[in-house]
Amino acid sequence: MALERLFRRKRPSGENRDVPELWTKCEACGAQLYKKEFRENLYVCPKCGHHHRVPAVERVEMLADAGTFQEITGLKPLDPLGFVDTKPYAERLRAYQEETGRKDAILGGTCTIGGVPAVLLVMDYAFAGGSMGSVVGEEIARGAERAAAEGRALVIVAASGGARMQEAALSLMQMAKTVMSLDRLWERRLPYVSVLTDPTTGGVTASFAALADVIFAEPGALIGFAGPRVIRQTIRQELPEGFQRAEFLLKHGMVDRVTDRRRLKAELVQVLRHLHPGVPYALGV
Amino acid sequence: MPLEFEKPILELEKRIAELRETARTTGVDLEAEIRLLEERLARLKEEVYGSLTAWQRVQLARAPGRPTTLDVLEKAFQDFLELHGDRAYADDPAIVGGLAYLEGQKVVVVGHQKGRDTKENLHRNFGMPHPEGYRKAMRLMDLADRFGYPFLSFIDTPGAYPGVSAEERGQAWVIAQSIQRMSRLRVPAIALILGEGGSGGALAIGVANRVLIMENAWYSVISPESCAAILWREAKEAPKAAEALKLTAKDLLAQGVVDAIVPEPEGGAHKDPLKAIQNIKEALLKTLEGLKGLSPEELYRDRYRRFRTLGAYAES
Ligand SMILES: [Zn+2]
């Protein structure tokens, strides 16, 4: 199975991750959590409800129906500008690839979700902060086009610091490319749902992520255009409590629902079944 | 305030003017000396302007006296009539737009507007729009589509405003919507990067069939200062970031991000704004001519193809 292959990806040598620490700590309340239980609770702290970040592979597992996911992503990034800051971009890419076992910051495939045929694309924050360069943009455009061609819904789980600086203007252009590819779904009357997770900012929020038919956000997720640090510098004031958090976005009318991760799949299925024209009327499934 | 690298040129020009004045008032023949200095001036200009660094161009793009959107609308177009407001919340002075004629052709125009002095800059929020500005732009796109007139946009912003109020009113959402709205135009759309093309706030009105750029303008995903602050952890490394970002007109042409470069007068558009505006007018007319004959659907498809093919990656 494609998913098993993904799980069995190569680990960095020198450390044995097969015998992991049994315990971990909640980032928010500091509670000691038994890792196995924590994972079974979808990385939500059972004590305080804090939603921790989820590895892309496990996000796929949470949302795709068991055994249906077939990966369609795998484009390789280039270094079109020969970008060097304190380190060459090419070197950074290699390090991220080794660390994550992925070519770039996105994992996607075809699957069913609650029986509804879908293309599911999950951004990987562990790879360069989930930043969108040419590969992420192209994978999203291809994902949307494939969904349209095969009559599938499109589901994107966003997690990104924004556009990737090292591909500069080409990264910026991905905002237009991804947005325009969504028209293919419009033409075929197929649903597009985005899930905004912690964090979703910059050029990702300001392009495809904000344009879904239905937008979910995870509790407490940082979501916005400018990052809080930039805003603090601009206005030279402390930011209000809860600013740019999912609940703030809900209050200001930018997202449809802030949904606990443990209910996310159920709500997602309800939306997809309702909106996908190929699914017959069915209550309470 | 002259730019740092302009100073030797300005000093030499001043010296020549002084000599001329002395020659005139005293009647002493200084022609030989003046000619020598003029030759030196010509060489100096060639040296400085012929090898501008990316960072120097960024400074030219921001130079006081450089033509702004309103300068272009007032001088390259006829009967510009400004239309205000987003019909929802406010009128954003950082984006202007309205109706105009370009050599007798009816067009709808929109652009970022910076101030031409400190007072106006505060009023214009330094050309950094709030969500209202993009809503106004979208309203004008609707207007262009409804009447079938070409839509022309002028980009000159450090970026969309990063503030609390902008976030509360959905800055990311309106930028995404504006990108989408512009991509769906069924009329010819031309964007011209006049000065600064800062990130999503620039692209929001940059999804055109043809994207032009002034010779000394820049366009990128982030400003050199912000890029330096993040990647080098020091904003003063901005000159290095400007090089690395490949944000100059020539670099962007090579990347396919822009389709043509509009030449500027020697030393930059602020040296001779009227000449720069004349060049802009010619470039717009020529580009518009090139889009004639495309049907509404073809214009939409053409724009889709233009952006769909941008990016660099390898198949797995
Ligand atoms: Zn906790």
Side-chain angles (χ1 to χ4, degrees):
Chain A
M1 244 8 275
L3 201 60
E4 280 171 285
R5 186 168 52 75
L6 291 167
F7 275 120
R8 262 193 266 111
R9 68 181 189 269
K10 230 180 107 204
R11 296 293 190 183
S13 55
E15 43 182 319
N16 188 347
R17 295 230 189 135
D18 293 330
V19 192
E21 289 273 336
L22 290 176
W23 295 86
T24 186
K25 230 182 189 179
C26 172
E27 280 171 14
C29 73
Q32 291 285 330
L33 304 171
Y34 186 48
K35 259 195 179 170
K36 188 164 166 288
E37 246 173 312
F38 181 48
R39 274 180 67 163
E40 281 166 6
N41 206 39
L42 311 182
Y43 296 89
V44 177
C45 172
K47 303 281 189 305
C48 74
H50 181 70
H51 283 51
H52 295 74
R53 286 175 191 157
V54 182
V57 170
E58 289 174 66
R59 180 67 74 169
V60 168
E61 208 190 22
M62 282 174 200
L63 297 179
D65 296 340
T68 65
F69 185 80
Q70 294 289 338
E71 189 179 356
I72 57 173
T73 47
L75 296 177
K76 294 179 207 146
L78 299 172
D79 176 17
L81 309 181
F83 196 100
V84 180
D85 50 271
T86 51
K87 251 192 219 169
Y89 176 44
E91 218 171 274
R92 287 185 194 276
L93 282 174
R94 270 196 300 279
Y96 286 127
Q97 286 167 346
E98 253 174 54
E99 208 175 294
T100 62
R102 208 177 311 297
K103 296 278 181 277
D104 209 306
I106 191 163
L107 168 64
T110 57
C111 63
T112 63
I113 298 173
V116 180
V119 165
L120 172 63
L121 299 167
V122 176
M123 301 187 79
D124 187 358
Y125 192 74
F127 192 111
S131 57
M132 174 163 70
S134 299
V135 167
V136 170
E138 182 67 19
E139 296 280 22
I140 286 170
R142 288 188 188 187
E145 286 162 356
R146 177 145 182 173
E150 297 178 359
R152 296 173 182 272
L154 178 67
V155 176
I156 301 182
V157 182
S160 174
R164 190 171 296 171
M165 277 178 286
Q166 291 92 343
E167 294 182 29
L170 289 175
S171 295
L172 185 65
M173 296 301 111
Q174 305 312 309
M175 292 171 66
K177 181 198 279 190
T178 55
V179 166
M180 293 169 102
S181 70
L182 299 175
D183 276 5
R184 305 289 82 78
L185 294 160
W186 259 263
E187 287 160 2
R188 298 282 317 274
R189 203 179 274 174
L190 289 162
Y192 162 39
V193 177
S194 68
V195 181
L196 312 185
T197 73
D198 186 61
T200 302
T201 59
V204 165
T205 321
S207 63
F208 62 87
L211 296 175
D213 298 303
V214 174
I215 304 176
F216 288 101
E218 287 201 328
L222 177 80
I223 300 161
F225 178 62
R229 202 168 44 94
V230 175
I231 297 173
R232 216 178 289 122
Q233 275 168 9
T234 309
I235 63 167
R236 297 200 173 87
Q237 275 172 37
E238 277 312 301
L239 299 173
E241 180 75 20
F243 178 64
Q244 290 187 313
R245 297 290 164 185
E247 298 72 14
F248 169 95
L249 276 288
L250 183 71
K251 182 182 153 215
H252 286 284
M254 301 303 153
V255 300
D256 290 286
R257 299 182 67 78
V258 175
T259 298
D260 188 298
R261 191 177 291 154
R262 292 161 293 189
R263 285 203 316 275
L264 180 61
K265 174 150 184 185
E267 290 196 5
L268 178 61
V269 167
Q270 190 181 346
V271 167
L272 293 179
R273 287 189 180 165
H274 201 118
L275 296 181
H276 196 298
V279 178
Y281 165 77
L283 272 180
V285 275
Chain B
M1 268 282 287
L3 303 170
E4 201 53 40
F5 61 90
E6 288 180 327
K7 279 181 184 164
I9 293 171
L10 295 177
E11 268 160 33
L12 204 51
E13 279 173 348
K14 199 174 143 215
R15 174 99 185 90
I16 292 169
E18 280 165 4
L19 279 180
R20 281 198 198 291
E21 183 61 13
T22 310
R24 196 182 62 80
T25 51
T26 62
V28 180
D29 181 12
L30 296 170
E31 264 320 298
E33 201 178 342
I34 289 172
R35 201 173 324 117
L36 217 65
L37 286 182
E38 277 178 336
E39 278 165 21
R40 206 203 297 170
L41 179 66
R43 275 198 308 277
L44 185 63
K45 278 184 173 174
E46 209 184 294
E47 212 178 284
V48 173
Y49 297 139
S51 60
L52 289 170
T53 64
W55 179 239
Q56 286 170 336
R57 288 191 198 273
V58 169
Q59 290 167 281
L60 286 176
R62 297 167 177 168
R66 192 175 171 84
T68 66
T69 295
L70 282 177
D71 296 321
V72 175
L73 295 181
E74 281 155 11
K75 299 195 180 88
F77 293 76
Q78 299 102 44
D79 286 351
F80 168 60
L81 185 74
E82 186 173 357
L83 301 177
H84 292 275
D86 71 340
R87 300 291 190 269
Y89 184 82
D91 182 42
D92 186 349
I95 287 192
V96 296
L99 310 176
Y101 292 93
L102 182 65
E103 283 293 326
Q105 297 181 70
K106 294 175 179 180
V107 295
V108 176
V109 289
V110 158
H112 301 103
Q113 182 62 35
K114 289 186 179 179
R116 286 165 280 196
D117 53 48
T118 310
K119 190 169 161 246
E120 198 195 351
N121 241 332
L122 288 172
H123 171 61
R124 303 282 182 191
N125 199 30
F126 299 87
M128 294 186 284
H130 281 73
E132 300 79 75
Y134 296 110
R135 275 194 212 102
K136 174 161 64 180
M138 287 189 268
R139 175 173 91 77
L140 291 168
M141 293 172 199
D142 289 344
L143 199 69
D145 248 347
R146 178 158 138 67
F147 293 96
Y149 301 148
F151 183 81
L152 309 184
S153 64
F154 300 91
I155 293 170
D156 191 11
T157 180
Y161 184 62
V164 173
S165 51
E167 296 288 325
E168 282 174 346
R169 301 201 289 273
Q171 190 73 290
W173 272 257
V174 295
I175 290 173
Q177 287 158 4
S178 189
I179 291 170
Q180 184 173 58
R181 179 64 192 91
M182 191 163 176
S183 76
R184 289 175 172 176
L185 283 170
R186 258 62 179 180
V187 296
I190 303 171
L192 168 66
I193 301 143
L194 261 185
E196 300 195 85
S199 195
L203 177 68
I205 57 167
V207 190
N209 295 88
R210 299 291 178 271
V211 181
L212 315 181
I213 187 166
M214 297 302 289
E215 192 181 340
N216 294 310
W218 69 268
Y219 190 25
S220 196
V221 72
I222 189 167
S223 75
E225 287 90 341
S226 302
C227 178
I230 296 168
L231 291 181
W232 279 266
R233 307 204 174 275
E234 296 215 56
K236 70 172 167 52
E237 300 287 10
K240 278 188 200 163
E243 286 298 331
L245 286 166
K246 301 272 197 295
L247 46 60
T248 69
K250 237 175 129 180
D251 289 324
L252 296 165
L253 188 67
Q255 293 163 40
V257 171
V258 301
D259 303 295
I261 298 172
V262 180
E264 294 188 22
E266 186 185 56
H270 66 298
K271 293 281 183 199
D272 189 350
L274 283 178
K275 177 74 184 115
I277 290 170
Q278 186 55 37
N279 293 351
I280 289 169
K281 185 175 177 179
E282 281 165 23
L284 290 176
L285 283 168
K286 189 174 154 219
T287 310
L288 209 47
E289 192 59 37
L291 292 170
K292 284 236 170 85
L294 291 181
S295 71
E297 273 321 293
E298 283 166 338
L299 286 163
Y300 169 75
R301 296 276 153 204
D302 170 84
R303 215 175 297 119
Y304 178 68
R305 262 196 311 277
R306 188 192 180 286
F307 286 89
R308 182 68 187 82
T309 49
L310 287 173
Y313 52 85
E315 298 292 331
S316 52

